Amino acid sequence: MQQKQYVCEKCGCQRYTSDQFQATGGEFAKLFNVQNKKFITVSCAQCGYTELYRAETDAGMNILDFLMN
């Protein structure tokens, strides 16, 4: 499978950085501070324009996060 080349929608730059973060979602998750939503970010290295993509979360990690709080 061929990997798609990144091109920024705003400035046309082809360099980027990628990262990820987790957030809470829903009343139960907010109440117990369980970060059950995972996102991947892709940011343009030149202008900073950032796109978010939803990623799969691991149920085991959600349970561990709950128990550690």
Side-chain angles (χ1 to χ4, degrees):
M1 188 162 115
Q2 185 177 2
Q3 185 176 1
K4 185 176 179 181
Q5 180 71 28
Y6 172 80
V7 178
C8 177
E9 291 183 26
K10 295 253 181 191
C11 70
C13 180
Q14 295 182 358
R15 294 177 294 119
Y16 67 93
T17 58
S18 180
D19 206 349
Q20 65 181 7
F21 70 92
Q22 289 185 266
T24 60
E27 296 303 319
F28 176 80
K30 288 178 189 173
L31 180 64
F32 292 102
N33 195 27
V34 177
Q35 298 180 346
N36 62 344
K37 305 284 184 187
K38 184 176 180 180
F39 299 91
I40 296 172
T41 64
V42 177
S43 301
C44 175
Q46 183 170 310
C47 72
Y49 175 74
T50 302
E51 297 177 351
L52 295 176
Y53 297 95
R54 191 177 324 193
E56 295 293 320
T57 57
D58 183 3
M61 289 305 290
N62 288 340
I63 294 170
L64 184 61
D65 186 41
F66 174 75
L67 293 174
M68 293 179 72
N69 284 321

